[in-house]
Amino acid sequence: MIKRYYAKKDNTITNAFQENLTTRATGSNMGASDILEVFSIYGQASSTSSELARTLIEFDPTYAGIPSNAKWYLKMFNAPHSQTIPSNFTLSVSAVSQSWEEGYGIDMDYYEDETKDGVGSNWINRASGSTWTTQGGDYLEANATSKYFETGLEDLEVDVTSIVDVWRGDSSLNYGFGIALSSSHESEAKS
């Protein structure tokens, strides 16, 4: 049996520079955008500057009638675009460790949609009046999984059974998935 669940909320959070290459867009929110982004841009604002974007996505699965030995997969599709396509990188998928708000922003080009009316997560805040413990989000590395992308055109499909099994034991721990470049790729001195 195959059962599909669709995201109940998602967002891209970033510390990218705005167009002026001086101001970081850490307050920007892209919760209403129809696409999600993960990236690393190195050396755009200065010879050592680093800009990152990560994706948050949460589902509300029902476990009734699902066998305890069921396999769970996160599948997301590559959206073709006109930007440079990266290759030879690894995405890491971890459980988010705290609740967060989706928000209403859509601007993924200039990052001018600050968290509106105090609603929504961003690089610094996970929700109105609540900050992440670590800027860029709080994640549980236990049970994290990853996927290597050779061409950059592949879809993301990873087995997240070990993460979902924790949520099945205690649904109050389900704050969704955080998707980011692997820590080695985020810290590389290249885009």
Side-chain angles (χ1 to χ4, degrees):
M1 165 180 36
I2 295 176
K3 190 164 187 161
R4 296 180 195 272
Y5 296 96
Y6 296 93
K8 71 177 188 177
K9 63 182 179 178
D10 58 47
N11 193 9
T12 296
I13 59 174
T14 188
N15 71 348
F17 283 100
Q18 292 179 332
E19 191 174 27
N20 64 17
L21 296 180
T22 303
T23 308
R24 290 222 182 235
T26 55
S28 66
N29 174 274
M30 293 158 272
S33 179
D34 56 354
I35 62 170
L36 299 166
E37 291 185 341
V38 174
F39 63 74
S40 171
I41 302 171
Y42 185 80
Q44 178 173 251
S46 72
S47 62
T48 60
S49 66
S50 178
E51 303 168 67
L52 304 172
R54 299 173 179 163
T55 291
L56 306 173
I57 188 165
E58 187 174 325
F59 299 84
D60 192 13
T62 57
Y63 305 115
I66 305 290
S68 61
N69 64 347
K71 293 285 189 188
W72 298 83
Y73 294 90
L74 174 64
K75 185 163 186 170
M76 299 176 71
F77 298 94
N78 180 47
H81 54 79
S82 62
Q83 303 297 317
T84 302
I85 304 293
S87 60
N88 300 310
F89 63 92
T90 302
L91 287 182
S92 176
V93 178
S94 307
V96 178
S97 66
Q98 296 187 66
S99 63
W100 53 278
E101 295 174 334
E102 182 176 43
Y104 308 113
I106 60 170
D107 179 10
M108 298 185 95
D109 293 318
Y110 303 104
Y111 308 112
E112 293 176 346
D113 290 341
E114 297 287 318
T115 302
K116 295 182 180 179
D117 301 325
V119 175
S121 54
N122 58 44
W123 193 258
I124 296 171
N125 297 312
R126 60 186 182 85
S128 177
S130 299
T131 59
W132 295 108
T133 303
T134 303
Q135 289 187 9
D138 298 322
Y139 310 97
L140 300 172
E141 295 307 317
N143 303 316
T145 188
S146 63
K147 162 98 185 225
Y148 175 73
F149 290 78
E150 184 176 349
T151 68
L153 299 172
E154 301 92 340
D155 295 332
L156 172 66
E157 183 171 353
V158 290
D159 183 339
V160 292
T161 303
S162 59
I163 295 172
V164 176
D165 282 348
V166 171
W167 297 340
R168 285 183 81 162
D170 184 352
S171 62
S172 70
L173 299 175
N174 178 4
Y175 303 117
F177 301 102
I179 304 165
L181 288 165
S182 66
S183 58
S184 63
H185 288 301
E186 281 192 344
S187 62
E188 279 185 309
K190 66 178 187 177
S191 294

